[in-house]
Every structure is written in structure tokens, then in C-alpha cells.
């Protein structure tokens, strides 16, 4: 690694850390209804939406109604997206004349974008029309991210309020997240990206003749606007199949840096918002630090593995699957960011990374997407781990465990366990089934442990709502479209519903005042403890599977055997 | 205490009973209450069946048999810990029962009177009670009329009439007949005393899981489910790897190996010891002579963060004591002391006695014989608010010595045409400002001086409050004294807050206020008017000498009637929760090492090529002798650690009054880090022994 590589990483993490309180404080003001100039600027469309839809922004609901509204809203979005894919050939804005999408692929894609996963079993430019991309995918990019924020807001209210049933208004949370946060940031980013050369048009695909005289089709389309939200909303579903390794998605070092920053920006800033809303920014920073430490650890191991000279490859760093214009450091940084943050966009092919780097990407997802994580989703996933940590270790101070003054009792523990168990079930049951069934194995492009890694990665990606692919696995089959679709649904709502239930019961509780007998959740001891629990509870269950996948592959590679 | 504890822990009978109990507890109905151990039991049965089937087929595998045996041991060890805790509790409760004074009853059987133990009475028995007898159990008067002192229940000292027929026929056990004779038919079933109740609580069947125990059981079951999932899906991934290694699928993991893996990963240590920890928490309370009516109460004791403490008896010795004689100008201090002592000779109140003692200690004035003086004592009355003595000296002078409140004595001397000097007012005001009580002493019209009466703070109480503060517990002193007095004592004792001029309803109100602010409140009380507050408090400890109403309202009874017990109770509660947390952390941390024992062991053949030893053997960082020994060592460690930790579960982890953060750091170091390291060492040692 060169000095520039280190400068890039430090610059990246530094800017991220600086922006965290800036954006975090802005979001705090928006979500708590405080005065802000953006409210003056964008207040009128918000009011207009309320008038048109008849929503009373001041009407709050309990957790059941909140959850019901959320699920209904997502269900309608799912069905709409499913329908327009099935009818795309009859609908306008389809200059390439693409046919209707097969039903199982349409189902998979609809679930994928609704759940903020953005797993893409299809290739964007050869499957979906502009209309589907814009009104289907881009819309879901916004609302799925906003849904994540809404769940987080309900949870924060559950923690910070006392003796109430009310968790807020789902519609207000959704609208404000989109209007004041996702839209302005996306427009800003889209403009910069377009300025840097990312395509943004409705032209037909262009056929050009290369210098060798061969013909080449260049896909076009409204890419910049979708890429902006794809990164900011931790969606990750590329406009083009090659995602951010495609020069039309990610043309320059500046776009690479900004798109990278956009992945972690909102999830990181939400930790600050969390701290503000629960009344202690220290609590927010504690979570930020835990995430940062896990992030840097993963990054360090992954970089070490990529830069390690492997005799079998002639002692040169691994460049297969990476863009030479991006380079190793940026590729690894991106891979760690995108898997930490449940984003799923890529600028290099993870399949070709060293086994250990690939495993780190996989572990980031398997831990439950809590290292920054998806917009909203990462933080509420982290709170689940915090609840478990507080419950296990909190007893050791001799009191019924409590987090931010709220007692953690059997219901919260039960729900936290469900939220951990469901994604685990998806990964383990589906991977096990795929690894011994014909439709599972026949999609594999690689043999040996690497094939197993591909299967494991696919289901981890689905369960964690990440959406990145290890590639090397032909997932656009009936079997994979269905199982991955179900996995995404379970991984999303199997966590959201328990989280909202926890929010509901927490809100009803009193807040125990802090004293020297209180288990502190804002110091270094807690940071270490939380990291240990995330690794042991979140990670250890995957150790047997990983040992048969990337670990054995790494060991075999050292013995001179590759797959 | 310690020797008694150890004697109980290792007494042969208790151990034998516990060993027997661990087999009785194999009953699936009982086992299913503990999901983690139930999973192990199912695994043991399955492995057992496999071993038998293999033996019948002539393919006996000693490895599988050993796994089966150690799995059974795991279950038995867990049962043993529970049985042992129960046995100790029962032994303690029994001795408690024996040590209590047995009430004898005069039972009428076949028209003859027979003396039996009150506890042997059954519903429908008829007993006779005469003046002086204690009514042995709840019942109904069927003949006669008597006056009964029910003050032990109602707190009312005036006796009540009980007669047959009408609505005055019910009598309550523990009350005393004062006059006459009645026949009573017993209406309550025997064995409903507090001690009986506690015995049934300790006996597993009736023991309810406490809220925290339920939550912990859910967590442990959840973890077990996660690892069950791992173990169930692992053979599929394994089979993929086998075929990719070019090996036959028949080499897949055997069921006993999978069960061994599962049992190693699920939190059996804490699962096995959980109920023993809960029971022993109650045992430890009994050792302190406190009986809790539920395990829930013990747990809540750890959560209490506000303690309401009565000043009298808890913080102060209970009585004001004379500490100083302050004579008026021109009066000798000895004269004042002499007069004060004289006026107190017949004063049986603690204050009066303390004056006599102080005069003796400071000035050598001996208590004189009252009758020789031919004196008349004037007792304290609410009207006069003073007491004293009238006598004539040998020279015929008559003295009327009085001591009392400033106002009362002022009236007294002024009525005798005396003069009440201004500086006496300054002295009394000065004493009152210190939170003490001034007693003014006068001889006829002459004011002699003031006796300084002071509340004496119990030794060491200030330090205990400091400890409580470190633990994050706020102490509130409750007193009927006025604000100034209360403030001074509060400052001296080092309590965090106080309530002066408290009426019983104020206590209740304060408890509700604290609870509304999220606090959990503990209090100790004895009187009838404490009952509502005891019932409202999260931990209400009634003193054994207290009224029945108070005892029913609280959730603990202190047999020693020592108000400072509240602090011990809080400690026991905290220790209970800490022990649970520590062993949970230990149990979960253990998994790391077990993975490193089992995963390399089972995956040796994978991708091994011709060498037969696959690359995953690198993970065998403990360098265990063989795959089979590795699995056995892990499972043996898993079983033995339960036995090794039983003493810790029963006695609780060491407890020091320190802040939450310090306690956490220490316990994490011992049980978290220790939990990761210990099994590496343990498994390695077991492997070395097996390999001998």
C-alpha cells in the first residue's frame, strides 16, 4: 500500500466522522419538529401532501397501527412493482423494447427493492425499461430507505418516551424522511454525478463502432438520479449490471469517493440523531465508535489479505475482478463499506477477492448488517444487539438490566432473539438446502469451497438485505429467485416487526433514573462488551459454515490450490 | 456463618439426598421446565438408543457410548445442582421451624383434653383456651365467651370480646385469651405458616420462575435454537464439502457427533445452574433470618434504588440519650445533674434512665434509694408535658423538681412566681438547632439549667449509607421529628434525604412519587399503619415483632426484627443477579474454545487429498491428540464445569459494595475473559488425561 492509499482511507473516515454530527443534528431537528430553514423551504409540499392524503401529521398511533401501516404501505409498493414488471412491454418509456419480466424474476426484484435489499438477479440494461427503473425501482429506493428510518424513529421514541402507547405517525415519518433528507441529498449528489459524466437521459441505447471496427451497444438512461439514491439509501441496486464498476455509473475518482461516502453517510449520521433524541449524544457516539471499530477491523484484515503476496499468483496483488482505474484500496474500501452498510453496490467483483476478503464481506452481512448498516436498519439492528448485551452483562452489576433507563425484560429479550434468529434461519436453512439440491448446485460457476461461499453469500446477502452478490452464481433461476425472495422478506420483516414490538413495550415503561448503580452504556467498557457480543452471538453461529467455505479455501490456497 | 454454610453444603445427608434427587428429576415433566437441559436430555436419549442399536447390530462403538455417558452426566449434574440447592434450603427451613417456639394446643379428643403441637392440628379439631393461652390456629368459637388480646394482629391494645354465634365468633391464631374460657373449632388447614410456605417455595414443584429467570430462560432457549439450527444444517454443508473433496457421503457426521457439537455450543453451564442460583438466593436470605414470600421479591431487592428507613431503630438507637448538662450562670453543674437525676429516678423511659446514667458517669452521683427520700414522683403527662419529683429534705425544705419542655417549665416557674431568664431560651434554641432535644430542669421557682438529649446514631451506619450510595441507592430517613431535628440527624447519619413530621400516609405518598419517577422502593416497617406502605413498596420487609397486617402486606419477614436488615436484603438480591449474569457470560464465552476443539476434529478428512489430513486441522490450536479425543474432551469439560461451578452458584459470586462500573469491569474480567480462556486450558488437560 502506498501513502496515497492511507490518505484516502483517513480522508474518507475523517469526512464521515465530521459529517456525522452535522447531518445527524439536521435530522434530529427534522424528526423532532424543530425549526430549520429547510422546513421553511420544503414545508409547503409537506403540507400539500397532508391535505391531499388527509393525513393528520399530529395524530400518533400505537405500535400495532404503526406496524400495520408500514406493512400495508410496503405491500402495496411490492404489488405495484411486481405488476409493472409483468406488463412492461405494454407500458411506455421502453425504447429498447424489452419484453415482460418472467414472474419469478419480477417477484424477486419487487421484494428485493421493497426490502431495501436491491439484490439483482437480472441485468438492469437488458431486462428493465426506463419506466420500471424510474417509477418502480427508484421510488422503492426512496421509500424502502424511508421505511428503515421510520422503524428507527419509532424505536427511538419507544426508548425515550415514558408510560405511553404512542410511537408517532408512520406517514409523517415516511414523508419527512423522503422530503427533507433523502430527496435533497440525492438531488445534490445526482447533480454532481451528472456533472462528472454519469449518464442521465432518456435516449435509446447507442450503437457505436470501436476503433477495431466492432459494434458495441452503449446503454443509456436516467442513471445519475437512481445512483444517487442507490448509494444514499443503502439500496445498492445498480442501474447497469456492472453496478458502480461501470464507467457510466462511476466515471471518476471524485464520483468514486462521493458514492463511497454516500453509502455510510446517513447510517453514520443517524447514530448522532439517536443520541440527540434519547438525550445523550454520548450514547450515539458510543454506537458510532463500535461501528467504526468493527469497520476498521474488517477493512484492515481485508486489505492485508488483498495485498498479501500469494506465491500461487506469482506474488503480485490480486487484480482479477477489479477495475484498474479504481485500484485495490478503493475496491476493498468499497467492499467493506457496501457490506457493512447493507448497501450492496459494488465497484469490483467480490467473487475474485481473496478468500479472507470475501469472508470479511460475508461476515459484515452475517453479523446482521449492524456496522453502520442500512439506513435506519443498521441502527435498529444494533439496538437489538445492545439489548442482548445489556441483558447478558447488565446482570453482572446486580440489577435487572436496563438500557437508557428502560428495563429489559422477557418480552424484549424474546423479540431480540427473534430478530437475530430469523436472518440466521434464512442463511442456514436455505444455504444447507441449496448446497445439496440440484437446482442449488447447478447454478454454481465455481467448484469446491468457493462454490459454497457463493451460496452462503447469496443467502446472507438476502437475509441481511444487503443485495450485493458474490457473483459466480447464476441466481436468475426459479429456485434462487424464490428462495432469495423469501429470504429477503423474512430478513426484513423478521427484524422490523420484533423491533417495533420492542418499541411498543419500551414506550410503556417508566424510565429508571441514572445513578452510580446504573450499568453504563456510554463508555469504553461497553464498547468492548458490545463488540464481543456482536461477534460471539452474531458471528459465532456462522463459524462452522465459514470454515467449510472461505476458511478452508484460504488454507487450500496457501497450499497452492484454487477454485 | 461461613462454617455453617459449608457444613450444610457438604453434609453427607444433603449430598446423598441431592444425588437421589438428580435421578428423580430426570422425569421429563420436570426437565422440560429447563429447555437447555431438556435438549441435552433428548440428545442423551438419542445417543443411548443409537449405542444400543449399534451393539445389537454388532457394531459397538465405545466412542459413542462415552458420548452418551457424558451427556447423561451433564443432565444429572444439572439436576444435582438443583437438588442440592433445594436440599440446603429445606434443611435451613426445617431448622428454622424447629427453632421457633412451638405453641402447644389443648385439643379435645373423645371428651379428654390432650396437649398437642399447634402445627399438628387439623381442620375441624376442637381446642380449649383459657386465660393466658395463645390461640393455636384460626378458628371459630363454639362455646363460651372471652376477652382476647388481638394486638399482635390489629395493633389495638384494647382487648376484644369473642363469643359463640354472631359475627364475633372468629378468632385468629397467635392471639391471646385474657380472661375466661372458650372452645374453638379450628377452621384453617395446618401448614400455612410462613415457614411452611417458604419450604414449599424452595421445593421445585411450587417454585415459580422469577421474571428475570424467565427472561434469561428465553435468551438461553433462543441461543439453543440458533445453535440447533447450526447443527441441523451443518451436515448439508458438510455433505457438499465431502463430495467436492471426492469423498463418500457415508463419511458424513454421525448423529452422536452432531449431538456432542450441539451440547457443547448451547449454554448448558448456565442452563444447568440457573435454578440452583435462584433457590440459593432464597437460602442466603434465610441464613440472614429473612424469609421472602417469593423468589420475585429477592430479585426485586437487587433492583431497589431508594430505601425508606425509619429513623428510630434503623438509623438511631431508638432513644434519645442525655449527653450533656448545661447549667445556667451561677448554678453549679453538679447541682443541675443532681436535680436532674433525682427527677428521673423513677422515670422508666429511656431518656430518664440515660439522665441517671450520665449523672453517675460524669459526676459520680449515685442513684439514691427512692423510698428513703420519701419522695412523690410526678409522671410525665401529655397535659403538663413534664415530669419530676416532690420531696422534703431533712432540714424540712420542700423541693419540687421538674424537667420538661421549655414551654412547660416556663409555665411551671412562672406559676411559682419565678423568673424565666432569656439566656435559657438561647440555650434551648441552640440545642434544638442541632436537632437535639433540650430538657429544662427547675427546682421550685428556680431554673437550674438544661439537659441536652440527643438521638444517638448507630455505630457504622454512616459508612453503610456511603456504601449504598456507591451502589447507586438513595436513602431517605423517615421521622416524626420536626424539620430541624430531622435535618441535623440526617446530616449526621449521612442519608441522602429525609422526611420530617411524617404521617403514615406521607410514607405511602412518597413511595408512589418515587415509583412514578421510575425508582424501585424498599422499606421496612412493623406497625399496622405501615401496612399500606409495605404493600406499595417494591420490597416491603415486615418485622417479625410487627403486626399481622404488616406481615401480610410485606413480601419479606425479618425474623430478627432488625431494621438494618434491609441493607443485607438488597445485597443478597444484587448478588443473585450478579451470579446469574456472571455464569451466563461465562457459559457463552466458553463457545469459542469448543469450536476450536470440535470443528477441526470433524473436518479433518475434508479436502485432504492423499494425506488424509485436511487443511482445517490448522484450527486445532490446542493440538488435541485425535479427533475423537477432541470431541470427548469438549463434552467432558462441558459436563464437569457444571459440577465445578456448583459451589459458586450456591454461595453466589463475591460481592463488594462498589459502583456498577467497577463491579462490571471486575466480573467481565473474571467471567468473560476467564470464560474464553478457561475451556482452552480445561479441554487440553482433559485431552492429556484421556490420552494417558
Amino acid at each position: 500500500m502506498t501513502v496515497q492509499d492511507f490518505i484516502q482511507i483517513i480522508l474518507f473516515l475523517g469526512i464521515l466522522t465530521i459529517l456525522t454530527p452535522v447531518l445527524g443534528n439536521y435530522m434530529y431537528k427534522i424528526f423532532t419538529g424543530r425549526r430549520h430553514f429547510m422546513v421553511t423551504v420544503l414545508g409547503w409540499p409537506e403540507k400539500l401532501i397532508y391535505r391531499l392524503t388527509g393525513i393528520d401529521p399530529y395524530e400518533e398511533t400505537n405500535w400495532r397501527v404503526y406496524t400495520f401501516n408500514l406493512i400495508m404501505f410496503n405491500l402495496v409498493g411490492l404489488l405495484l412493482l411486481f405488476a409493472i414488471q409483468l406488463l412492461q412491454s405494454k407500458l411506455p418509456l421502453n425504447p429498447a423494447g424489452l419484453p415482460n419480466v418472467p414472474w419469478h424474476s419480477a417477484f424477486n426484484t419487487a421484494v428485493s427493492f421493497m426490502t431495501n435489499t436491491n439484490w439483482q438477479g437480472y441485468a438492469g440494461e437488458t431486462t428493465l425499461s426506463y419506466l420500471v427503473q424510474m417509477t418502480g425501482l427508484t421510488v422503492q429506493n426512496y421509500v424502502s430507505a424511508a421505511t428503515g428510518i421510520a422503524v428507527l424513529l419509532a424505536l427511538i421514541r419507544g426508548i425515550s418516551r415514558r408510560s405511553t402507547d404512542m410511537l408517532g405517525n408512520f406517514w409523517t415519518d415516511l414523508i419527512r424522511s423522503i422530503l427533507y433528507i433523502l430527496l435533497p441529498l440525492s438531488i445534490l449528489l445526482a447533480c454532481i454525478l451528472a456533472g462528472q459524466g454519469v449518464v442521465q437521459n432518456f435516449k435509446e441505447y447507442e450503437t457505436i463502432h470501436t476503433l477495431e471496427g466492432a459494434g458495441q451497444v452503449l446503454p443509456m438512461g436516467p442513471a445519475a438520479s437512481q445512483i444517487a439514491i442507490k448509494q444514499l439509501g443503502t439500496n445498492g441496486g445498480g442501474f447497469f449490471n456492472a453496478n458502480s464498476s461501470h464507467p457510466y455509473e462511476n466515471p471518476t475518482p471524485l464520483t468514486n469517493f462521493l458514492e463511497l461516502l454516500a453509502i455510510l453517510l446517513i447510517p453514520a449520521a443517524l447514530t448522532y440523531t439517536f443520541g440527540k433524541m434519547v438525550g445523550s449524544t454520548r450514547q450515539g457516539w458510543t454506537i458510532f465508535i463500535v461501528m467504526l471499530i468493527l469497520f476498521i477491523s474488517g477493512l484492515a484484515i481485508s486489505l492485508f489479505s488483498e495485498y498479501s503476496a500469494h506465491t500461487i499468483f506469482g506474488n503480485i496483488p490480486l487484480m482479477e475482478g477489479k477495475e484498474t482505474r479504481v485500484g485495490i484500496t478503493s475496491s476493498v474500501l468499497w467492499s467493506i463499506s457496501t457490506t457493512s452498510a447493507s448497501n450492496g453496490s459494488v465497484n469490483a467483483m467480490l467473487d475474485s477477492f481473496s478468500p479472507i476478503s470475501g469472508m470479511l464481506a460475508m461476515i459484515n452481512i452475517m453479523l446482521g448488517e449492524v456496522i453502520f448498516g442500512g439506513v435506519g436498519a443498521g441502527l435498529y439492528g444494533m439496538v437489538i444487539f445492545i439489548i442482548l448485551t445489556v441483558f447478558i452483562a447488565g446482570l453482572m452489576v446486580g440489577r435487572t438490566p436496563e438500557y437508557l433507563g428502560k428495563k429489559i425484560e422477557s418480552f424484549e429479550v424474546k423479540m431480540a432473539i427473534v430478530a437475530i434468529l430469523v436472518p440466521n434461519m434464512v442463511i442456514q436453512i436455505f444455504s444447507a438446502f441449496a448446497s445439496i439440491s440440484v437446482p442449488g448446485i447447478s447454478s454454481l460457476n465455481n467448484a469446491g469451497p468457493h462454490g459454497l461461499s457463493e451460496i452462503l453469500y447469496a443467502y446472507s446477502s438476502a437475509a441481511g438485505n444487503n443485495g450485493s452478490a458474490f457473483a459466480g452464481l447464476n441466481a436468475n433461476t426459479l429456485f434462487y429467485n424464490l428462495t432469495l425472495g423469501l429470504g429477503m422478506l423474512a430478513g426484513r420483516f423478521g427484524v422490523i416487526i420484533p423491533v417495533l414490538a420492542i418499541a411498543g413495550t419500551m414506550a410503556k415503561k417508566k424510565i429508571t433514573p441514572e445513578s452510580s448503580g446504573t450499568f453504563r452504556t456510554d463508555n469504553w467498557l461497553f464498547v468492548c462488551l458490545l463488540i464481543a457480543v456482536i461477534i460471539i452471538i452474531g458471528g459465532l453461529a456462522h463459524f462452522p459454515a465459514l470454515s467449510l467455505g472461505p476458511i478452508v479455501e484460504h488454507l487450500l490456497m496457501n497450499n497452492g490450490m484454487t477454485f | 456463618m461461613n462454617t455453617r454454610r459449608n457444613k450444610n453444603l457438604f453434609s453427607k445427608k444433603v449430598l446423598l439426598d441431592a444425588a437421589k434427587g438428580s435421578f428423580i428429576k430426570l422425569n421429563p415433566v420436570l426437565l422440560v421446565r429447563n429447555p437447555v437441559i431438556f435438549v441435552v436430555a433428548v440428545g442423551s436419549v438419542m445417543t443411548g438408543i443409537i449405542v444400543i442399536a449399534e451393539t445389537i447390530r454388532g457394531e459397538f462403538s465405545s466412542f459413542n457410548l462415552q458420548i452418551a455417558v457424558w451427556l447423561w452426566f451433564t443432565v444429572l449434574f444439572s439436576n444435582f445442582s438443583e437438588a442440592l440447592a433445594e436440599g440446603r434450603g429445606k434443611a435451613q427451613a426445617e431448622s428454622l421451624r424447629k427453632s421457633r417456639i412451638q405453641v402447644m394446643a389443648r385439643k379435645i379428643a373423645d371428651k379428654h383434653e390432650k396437649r398437642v403441637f399447634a402445627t399438628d392440628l387439623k381442620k375441624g379439631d376442637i381446642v380449649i383456651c383459657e386465660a393466658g393461652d395463645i390461640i393455636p390456629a384460626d378458628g371459630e368459637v363454639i362455646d363460651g365467651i372471652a376477652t382476647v388480646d388481638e394486638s399482635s394482629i390489629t395493633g389495638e391494645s384494647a382487648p376484644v370480646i369473642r363469643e359463640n354465634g354472631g359475627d364475633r365468633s372468629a378468632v385468629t391464631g397467635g392471639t391471646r385469651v385474657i380472661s375466661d374460657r372458650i372452645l374453638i373449632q379450628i377452621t384453617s388447614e395446618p401448614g400455612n405458616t410462613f415457614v411452611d410456605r417458604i419450604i414449599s417455595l424452595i421445593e421445585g414443584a411450587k417454585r415459580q420462575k422469577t421474571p428475570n429467570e424467565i427472561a434469561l430462560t428465553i435468551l438461553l432457549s433462543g441461543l439453543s435454537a440458533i445453535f440447533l439450527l447450526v447443527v441441523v444444517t451443518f451436515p448439508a454443508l458438510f455433505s457438499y464439502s465431502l463430495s467436492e473433496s471426492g469423498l463418500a457421503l457415508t463419511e458424513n457426521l454421525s448423529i452422536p457427533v452432531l449431538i456432542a457439537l450441539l451440547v457443547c455450543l448451547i449454554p448448558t453451564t448456565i442452563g444447568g445452574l440457573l435454578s440452583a442460583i435462584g433457590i440459593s438466593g432464597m437460602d442466603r436470605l434465610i441464613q440472614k433470618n429473612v424469609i421472602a414470600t417469593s423468589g420475585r421479591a429477592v430479585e426485586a431487592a437487587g433492583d431497589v434504588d431508594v430505601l425508606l428507613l425509619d429513623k428510630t431503630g434503623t438509623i438511631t438507637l431508638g432513644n434519645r440519650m442525655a449527653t450533656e448538662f448545661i447549667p445556667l450562670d451561677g448554678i453549679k453543674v453538679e447541682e443541675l445533674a443532681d436535680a436532674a437525676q433525682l427527677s428521673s429516678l423513677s422515670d422508666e423511659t429511656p431518656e430518664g434512665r440515660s439522665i441517671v446514667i450520665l449523672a453517675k458517669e460524669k459526676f459520680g452521683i449515685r442513684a439514691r434509694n427512692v423510698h428513703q427520700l420519701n419522695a412523690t414522683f410526678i409522671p410525665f403527662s401529655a397535659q403538663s408535658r413534664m415530669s419530676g419529683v416532690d420531696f422534703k429534705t431533712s432540714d424540712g425544705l420542700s423541693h419540687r423538681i421538674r424537667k420538661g419542655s421549655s414551654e412547660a417549665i416556663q409555665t411551671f416557674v412562672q406559676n411559682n412566681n419565678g423568673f424565666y431568664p432569656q439566656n435559657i431560651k438561647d440555650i434551648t434554641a441552640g440545642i434544638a438547632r442541632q436537632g437535639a432535644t433540650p430538657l429544662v430542669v427547675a427546682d421550685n421557682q428556680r431554673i437550674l439549667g438544661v439537659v441536652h438529649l440527643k438521638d444517638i446514631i448507630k455505630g457504622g451506619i454512616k459508612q453503610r449509607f456511603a456504601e449504598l450510595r456507591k451502589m447507586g441507592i438513595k436513602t431517605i430517613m423517615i421521622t416524626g421529628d420536626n424539620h430541624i431535628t430531622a435535618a441535623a440527624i440526617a446530616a449526621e447519619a449521612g442519608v441522602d434525604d429525609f422526611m420530617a413530621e411524617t404521617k403514615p400516609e406521607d410514607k405511602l405518598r412518597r413511595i408512589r412519587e418515587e415509583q412514578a419517577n421510575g425508582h424501585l422502593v424498599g422499606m421496612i416497617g412493623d406497625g399496622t399503619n405501615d401496612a399500606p406502605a409495605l404493600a406499595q413498596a417494591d420490597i416491603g420487609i415486615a418485622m417479625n415483632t410487627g403486626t399481622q397486617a404488616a406481615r401480610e402486606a410485606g413480601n419479606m419477614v425479618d425474623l430478627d426484627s432488625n431494621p438494618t436488615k434491609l441493607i443485607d436484603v438488597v445485597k443478597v438480591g444484587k448478588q443473585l443477579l450478579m451470579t446469574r449474569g456472571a455464569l451466563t457470560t461465562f457459559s457463552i464465552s466458553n463457545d469459542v474454545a469448543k469450536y476450536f476443539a470440535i470443528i477441526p476434529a470433524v473436518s479433518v478428512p475434508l479436502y485432504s487429498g492423499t494425506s488424509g489430513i485436511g487443511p482445517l486441522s490448522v484450527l486445532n490450536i490446542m493440538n488435541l491428540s485425535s479427533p475423537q479425543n477432541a470431541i470427548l474432551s469438549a463434552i467432558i469439560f462441558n459436563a464437569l464445569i457444571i459440577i465445578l461451578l456448583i459451589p459458586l452458584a450456591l454461595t453466589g459470586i463475591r460481592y463488594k459494595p462498589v459502583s456498577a462500573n467497577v463491579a462490571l469491569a471486575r466480573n467481565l474480567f473474571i467471567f468473560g475473559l476467564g470464560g474464553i480462556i478457561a475451556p482452552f486450558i480445561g479441554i487440553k488437560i482433559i485431552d492429556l488425561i484421556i490420552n494417558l
Side-chain angles (χ1 to χ4, degrees), chain A residues 2-141:
Chain A
T2 61
V3 179
Q4 283 91 326
D5 290 323
F6 283 107
I7 291 176
Q8 188 196 347
I9 291 168
I10 291 166
L11 202 64
F12 171 68
L13 294 177
I15 291 178
L16 183 70
T17 310
I18 290 167
L19 287 180
T20 291
V22 176
L23 180 62
N25 196 38
Y26 169 69
M27 290 194 284
Y28 163 71
K29 285 185 174 167
I30 296 296
F31 295 136
T32 51
R34 282 175 169 69
R35 291 170 68 86
H36 193 273
F37 80 92
M38 287 298 277
V39 179
T40 342
V41 177
L42 291 168
W44 62 270
E46 189 190 351
K47 287 199 192 87
L48 188 68
I49 294 170
Y50 293 147
R51 195 166 309 155
L52 290 177
T53 53
I55 293 167
D56 175 4
Y58 298 104
E59 189 200 341
E60 299 212 343
T61 64
N62 64 25
W63 81 267
R64 287 196 172 80
V65 177
Y66 199 97
T67 311
F68 178 80
N69 289 345
L70 183 144
I71 289 176
M72 279 302 129
F73 174 75
N74 278 301
L75 185 66
V76 170
L78 174 77
L79 294 176
L80 270 177
L81 182 52
F82 186 52
I84 57 172
Q85 288 181 81
L86 293 180
L87 301 171
Q88 116 174 323
S89 65
K90 312 242 172 7
L91 297 171
L93 279 177
N94 184 2
L98 296 167
N100 292 338
V101 183
W103 70 271
H104 52 85
S105 173
F107 164 75
N108 183 286
T109 305
V111 169
S112 169
F113 278 77
M114 184 268 280
T115 56
N116 196 253
T117 312
N118 302 32
W119 168 271
Q120 292 167 297
Y122 62 94
E125 56 272 42
T126 56
T127 315
L128 298 179
S129 70
Y130 294 163
L131 181 93
V132 174
Q133 295 257 24
M134 281 166 57
T135 63
L137 304 192
T138 308
V139 167
Q140 283 301 326
N141 276 350

Side-chain angles (χ1 to χ4, degrees), chain A residues 395-400 421 425 428 436 448-449 451-452 510-511 513 515-519 523 529 540-541 548 555, chain B residues 226 229-230 239-240 244 302-303 469-472 515 517 519 574 577-578 585 595 606-607 615 660-661 664 667:
Chain A
L395 278 175
M396 279 193 287
V397 305
R399 285 232 304 231
T400 301
L421 191 58
M425 283 172 77
Q428 291 171 348
I436 51 168
L452 192 64
K510 292 178 209 159
I511 292 180
S515 73
S516 64
T518 309
F519 174 66
N523 57 17
L529 200 56
L540 224 49
L548 299 186
L555 296 169
Chain B
I226 289 175
L229 207 59
V230 173
S239 126
Y240 170 90
E244 292 295 313
D303 283 350
R469 196 168 306 113
K470 254 192 241 161
M471 288 152 59
Q515 285 173 336
N517 288 328
H519 292 288
K574 284 199 177 294
L577 293 172
M578 280 184 172
T585 307
Y595 266 129
L606 297 179
Y607 303 105
N661 230 10
L664 179 70
N667 289 333

Side-chain angles (χ1 to χ4, degrees), chain A residues 119 351 362 366 426-446 448-462 470-473 479-480 484, chain B residues 237 240:
Chain A
W119 168 271
D351 199 31
M362 214 181 310
M366 285 171 164
V426 171
I427 298 175
Q428 291 171 348
I429 294 177
F430 282 141
S431 301
F433 187 67
S435 65
I436 51 168
S437 65
V438 175
I441 297 175
S442 60
S443 284
L444 291 176
N445 291 346
N446 298 78
H450 198 76
L452 192 64
S453 298
E454 288 167 356
I455 293 175
L456 270 177
Y457 194 97
Y459 288 108
S460 301
S461 181
F470 219 44
L473 176 78
F479 174 78
Y480 278 105
L484 289 168
Chain B
L237 307 180
Y240 170 90

Side-chain angles (χ1 to χ4, degrees), chain B residues 231-296:
Chain B
V231 172
V232 168
T233 55
F234 194 54
L237 307 180
F238 202 81
S239 126
Y240 170 90
S241 306
L242 280 173
S243 62
E244 292 295 313
S245 323
L247 294 168
L249 292 184
T250 48
E251 292 207 31
N252 209 328
L253 304 168
S254 70
I255 290 176
V257 167
L258 286 172
I259 291 173
L261 176 62
L262 175 66
V263 170
C264 281
L265 295 182
I266 62 176
T268 46
T269 314
I270 178 65
L273 294 171
L274 188 56
S275 61
I277 296 171
I279 297 166
S280 63
M282 294 176 90
D283 291 355
R284 279 198 296 280
L285 271 186
I286 296 176
Q287 281 174 359
K288 296 195 185 294
N289 268 346
V290 175
I291 292 180
T293 52
S294 69
R296 195 189 190 109

Side-chain angles (χ1 to χ4, degrees), chain B residues 401-461:
Chain B
I401 300 176
R402 292 289 181 276
K403 66 178 199 293
S405 72
S406 173
E407 295 81 10
I409 299 296
Q410 183 172 11
T411 320
F412 173 76
V413 292
Q414 281 167 354
N415 285 348
N416 287 317
N417 300 319
F419 164 68
Y420 197 74
Q422 178 58 40
N423 60 345
I424 200 86
K425 288 184 182 161
D426 296 340
I427 296 172
T428 54
I431 292 172
R433 261 201 304 280
Q434 296 168 41
T437 312
L439 269 189
V440 184
V441 182
D443 183 357
N444 295 333
Q445 78 288 5
R446 230 163 33 108
I447 300 283
L448 299 177
V450 182
V451 182
H452 187 149
L453 285 181
K454 199 175 153 191
D455 262 321
I456 304 294
I457 309 282
K458 279 188 174 177
I461 199 86

